[in-house]
Coordinates of all heavy atoms in Angstrom, one line a residue:
S121 N 21.1 42.3 57.9 CA 20.1 42.2 56.8 C 18.7 42.1 57.3 O 17.7 42.6 56.8 CB 20.4 41.0 55.9 OG 21.7 41.1 55.3
V162 N 6.5 28.1 57.4 CA 5.4 27.3 57.3 C 5.4 26.4 58.4 O 6.5 25.9 58.9 CB 5.3 26.5 56.0 CG1 6.5 25.5 55.9 CG2 4.0 25.9 55.8
V194 N 9.6 34.4 22.1 CA 8.5 35.0 22.9 C 9.0 36.5 23.1 O 8.6 37.1 24.0 CB 8.3 34.3 24.2 CG1 7.8 33.0 24.0 CG2 9.6 34.2 25.1
D231 N 20.6 43.3 35.5 CA 21.1 44.7 35.4 C 20.5 45.4 36.6 O 21.1 46.4 37.2 CB 20.7 45.4 34.1 CG 21.4 46.9 34.0 OD1 22.5 46.9 34.2 OD2 20.6 47.8 33.8
K235 N 22.7 47.5 39.3 CA 22.5 48.9 39.6 C 22.2 49.1 41.1 O 22.7 50.1 41.7 CB 21.3 49.4 38.8 CG 21.6 49.6 37.3 CD 20.4 50.2 36.6 CE 20.5 50.3 35.1 NZ 21.8 50.8 34.6
V278 N 6.2 43.6 40.7 CA 7.2 44.7 40.5 C 7.3 45.5 41.7 O 8.4 45.9 42.2 CB 6.7 45.6 39.4 CG1 7.5 46.9 39.2 CG2 6.8 44.8 38.0
L285 N 14.9 45.4 45.9 CA 16.0 46.1 45.3 C 16.4 47.3 46.2 O 17.6 47.7 46.2 CB 15.7 46.6 43.9 CG 15.5 45.5 42.9 CD1 14.8 46.1 41.6 CD2 16.8 44.8 42.5
A294 N 24.2 41.7 47.2 CA 23.1 40.7 47.1 C 23.8 39.4 46.7 O 24.8 39.3 45.9 CB 22.2 41.0 45.9
C325 N -5.0 24.7 30.3 CA -3.7 24.8 30.3 C -3.2 25.2 31.8 O -3.7 26.2 32.3 CB -3.1 25.9 29.3 SG -1.4 26.2 29.3
M328 N 3.2 26.0 35.2 CA 4.1 25.5 36.3 C 5.3 26.4 36.5 O 6.0 26.7 35.6 CB 4.7 24.1 35.8 CG 5.7 23.5 36.7 SD 6.6 22.1 35.9 CE 5.3 20.9 35.9
S341 N 31.7 24.0 39.7 CA 32.1 24.5 38.4 C 31.0 25.4 37.8 O 30.8 25.4 36.6 CB 32.4 23.3 37.5 OG 31.2 22.4 37.5
R354 N 8.4 15.5 43.4 CA 7.7 16.8 43.4 C 6.9 17.0 42.2 O 5.8 17.7 42.3 CB 8.8 17.9 43.5 CG 9.5 17.9 44.9 CD 10.3 19.2 45.1 NE 11.0 19.2 46.3 CZ 11.6 20.2 46.8 NH1 11.7 21.4 46.2 NH2 12.3 20.1 47.9
T383 N 19.1 29.0 39.6 CA 18.9 28.9 38.1 C 19.8 27.6 37.6 O 20.7 27.1 38.4 CB 19.4 30.1 37.4 OG1 20.9 30.2 37.6 CG2 18.8 31.4 38.0
M439 N 30.3 18.9 18.9 CA 30.2 20.1 18.2 C 30.0 21.3 19.1 O 30.5 22.4 19.0 CB 29.2 20.0 17.1 CG 29.6 19.2 16.0 SD 28.4 19.3 14.6 CE 28.7 21.0 14.0
I452 N 22.1 17.6 26.5 CA 21.9 16.2 25.9 C 21.9 15.1 26.9 O 21.2 14.0 26.7 CB 23.1 15.9 24.9 CG1 23.1 17.1 23.9 CG2 23.0 14.6 24.2 CD1 24.3 17.2 23.0
I477 N 18.5 15.2 16.8 CA 19.7 14.6 17.5 C 19.2 13.4 18.2 O 18.2 13.4 19.0 CB 20.2 15.7 18.5 CG1 20.6 17.0 17.7 CG2 21.3 15.1 19.3 CD1 21.0 18.2 18.7
L483 N 20.2 7.0 12.8 CA 20.7 7.9 11.9 C 20.6 7.4 10.5 O 20.8 8.1 9.5 CB 22.2 8.2 12.2 CG 22.5 8.9 13.5 CD1 24.0 9.1 13.7 CD2 21.8 10.3 13.5
L504 N 48.8 28.2 22.7 CA 49.4 26.8 22.9 C 50.5 27.0 23.9 O 51.3 27.9 23.9 CB 50.0 26.3 21.7 CG 49.0 25.5 20.7 CD1 49.9 25.1 19.5 CD2 48.4 24.3 21.4
A618 N 45.2 16.7 17.7 CA 44.7 15.8 18.8 C 43.5 15.0 18.2 O 42.7 15.5 17.6 CB 44.3 16.5 20.0
D685 N 33.3 24.7 -8.1 CA 32.7 26.0 -7.9 C 33.8 27.1 -8.2 O 34.6 27.3 -7.4 CB 32.3 26.1 -6.4 CG 31.4 27.3 -6.1 OD1 31.3 28.2 -7.1 OD2 31.0 27.6 -5.0
L689 N 35.9 36.8 -8.3 CA 35.8 37.8 -7.3 C 36.5 39.1 -7.7 O 36.2 40.2 -7.0 CB 36.4 37.3 -6.0 CG 35.8 36.0 -5.5 CD1 36.4 35.8 -4.0 CD2 34.3 36.1 -5.3
K695 N 43.5 50.2 -15.9 CA 43.0 51.5 -15.4 C 41.9 51.3 -14.4 O 41.8 52.0 -13.4 CB 42.5 52.4 -16.5 CG 43.6 52.8 -17.4 CD 43.0 53.7 -18.7 CE 44.2 54.2 -19.5 NZ 43.6 55.0 -20.6
K768 N 54.0 34.7 -21.3 CA 55.2 34.1 -21.6 C 56.4 34.8 -20.8 O 57.4 34.2 -20.7 CB 55.6 34.0 -23.0 CG 54.7 33.1 -23.9 CD 54.9 33.1 -25.3 CE 54.3 34.3 -26.0 NZ 52.8 34.2 -26.0
S788 N 56.1 23.8 -2.7 CA 54.9 24.2 -2.0 C 53.8 23.4 -2.6 O 53.8 22.7 -3.6 CB 54.6 25.7 -2.2 OG 54.3 26.0 -3.5
V868 N 58.3 33.6 -30.9 CA 58.8 32.2 -31.1 C 60.0 31.9 -30.2 O 60.1 30.9 -29.6 CB 59.1 32.1 -32.5 CG1 59.7 30.6 -32.8 CG2 57.9 32.2 -33.4
A983 N 41.8 34.0 -30.0 CA 41.3 34.2 -28.6 C 40.6 33.0 -28.1 O 40.7 32.6 -26.9 CB 40.4 35.4 -28.6

Side-chain angles (χ1 to χ4, degrees):
S121 298
V162 68
V194 293
D231 187 54
K235 287 184 184 318
V278 169
L285 292 167
C325 179
M328 175 194 289
S341 56
R354 292 193 181 187
T383 69
M439 289 187 69
I452 301 167
I477 300 171
L483 294 177
L504 275 180
D685 186 2
L689 301 185
K695 297 181 180 179
K768 293 175 279 291
S788 71
V868 176

